[in-house]
């Protein structure tokens, strides 16, 4: 049973499309901070002469870029799924994902109980990193 109305699907599509544009802009700015068509990350040598700080800043920048890229891929996949009959259906239990959850996270592929279970059984080994 898929309960999403046309209006609900349109609002989810608008949210996903807007987020995809934000992510593309953010990725583009990270890769070309000058806007001159040069693809490079920020050179932190101008900011500090401490190699450790420079490496940390570069590492954090690369990780942010990776997160944005992964989120963009998930957003684009959700835009494709949105037009399929199984969008809004939990991949684990097959139940409908509530619209309020999809509003909060239109990329969601699991209902809240299944997502909670998934997070508890698939905890990252490394934990939080600084």
């Amino acid at each position: 049973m898929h309960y999403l109305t046309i209006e609900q699907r349109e609002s989810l599509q608008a949210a996903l499309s807007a987020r995809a544009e934000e992510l593309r802009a953010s990725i583009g700015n990270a890769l070309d901070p000058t806007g001159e068509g040069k693809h490079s990350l920020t050179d932190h040598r101008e900011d500090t002469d401490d190699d450790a700080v420079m490496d940390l800043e570069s590492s954090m920048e690369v990780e942010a870029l990776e997160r944005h890229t992964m989120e963009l891929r998930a957003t684009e996949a959700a835009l494709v799924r949105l037009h399929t009959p199984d969008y809004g259906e939990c991949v684990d239990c097959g139940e409908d994902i509530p619209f309020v959850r999809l509003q909060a996270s239109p990329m969601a592929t699991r209902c809240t109980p299944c997502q909670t279970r998934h997070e508890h059984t698939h905890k990252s080994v490394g934990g939080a990193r600084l």
Side-chain angles (χ1 to χ4, degrees):
M1 173 178 106
H2 296 285
Y3 61 92
L4 295 175
T5 65
I6 293 172
E7 292 81 16
Q8 288 172 327
R9 285 185 186 265
E10 287 174 350
S11 74
L12 293 170
Q13 180 170 351
L16 286 164
S17 296
R19 183 60 183 152
E21 276 305 309
E22 290 172 11
L23 290 165
R24 284 188 198 101
S26 179
I27 291 167
N29 289 337
L31 293 175
D32 183 14
T34 63
E36 298 174 358
K38 297 177 184 176
H39 294 291
S40 65
L41 295 173
T42 305
D43 184 1
H44 293 285
R45 286 178 286 192
E46 298 171 2
D47 300 334
T48 182
D49 60 356
D50 185 334
D51 287 343
V53 171
M54 202 169 27
D55 288 345
L56 177 62
E57 288 175 345
S58 295
S59 176
M60 290 170 53
E61 199 170 278
V62 168
E63 286 182 18
L65 184 58
E66 288 173 350
R67 279 192 311 274
H68 286 143
T69 302
M70 287 174 49
E71 185 180 351
L72 179 58
R73 286 183 185 138
T75 302
E76 289 174 339
L79 278 165
V80 170
R81 276 194 329 273
L82 182 63
H83 300 289
T84 64
D86 59 344
Y87 178 80
E89 182 178 293
C90 178
V91 295
D92 289 348
C93 70
E95 293 295 318
D96 287 339
I97 300 171
F99 180 65
V100 293
R101 172 152 169 72
L102 292 172
Q103 278 182 304
S105 180
M107 298 168 288
T109 57
R110 292 181 176 87
C111 63
T112 303
C114 288
Q115 182 63 37
T116 302
R117 238 184 333 276
H118 178 79
E119 289 172 3
H120 287 298
T121 58
H122 294 90
K123 288 183 181 177
S124 66
V125 175
R129 293 183 298 174
L130 292 177

